[in-house]
Amino acid sequence: MIRIFYLAHTAVTISEAQVQDILVTSHRKNGQTGVTGVLVYTGNMFAQILEGPELAVLRLYVKITADQRNFTITISPYRYTMSKSVLCCRTI
């Protein structure tokens, strides 16, 4: 199991409705792969922690880096972990 943290500066303005769509889709898809996380959006930047099975997290991160809405992405070194610190996903 791994945990990653990244910052993504957006290339375009993302509306509150689009952020909600991202959260709903993430909740559904990540639940199927065992990935959990926390997503914060500030208006021009996402900050996210993802954790779960190594292959699932890395595949998801590759998809995120290919998303044209992101301008630059900075990832901190990922860590192997024995347990999750984010136990569930919830959209607000």
Side-chain angles (χ1 to χ4, degrees):
M1 183 173 325
I2 65 168
R3 178 180 306 128
I4 66 170
F5 172 76
Y6 74 88
L7 299 172
H9 293 272
T10 58
V12 296
T13 301
I14 298 176
S15 70
E16 186 175 328
Q18 289 172 304
V19 173
Q20 286 298 321
D21 287 343
I22 291 168
L23 290 171
V24 169
T25 301
S26 298
H27 182 74
R28 185 182 77 253
K29 290 183 176 181
N30 293 348
Q32 296 170 356
T33 61
V35 174
T36 56
V38 175
L39 178 68
V40 176
Y41 180 63
T42 65
N44 67 343
M45 183 176 65
F46 285 100
Q48 187 164 37
I49 297 170
L50 294 170
E51 53 188 15
E54 182 176 11
L55 191 54
V57 171
L58 294 177
R59 282 183 177 160
L60 178 56
Y61 181 71
V62 167
K63 286 183 181 180
I64 291 166
T65 61
D67 189 328
Q68 296 298 308
R69 294 173 292 193
N70 297 320
F71 179 65
T72 60
I73 297 180
T74 305
I75 186 171
S76 65
Y78 66 84
R79 298 180 181 176
Y80 288 94
T81 180
M82 296 299 291
S83 62
K84 292 183 176 183
S85 59
V86 181
L87 298 178
C88 66
C89 299
R90 189 162 194 138
T91 59
I92 297 176

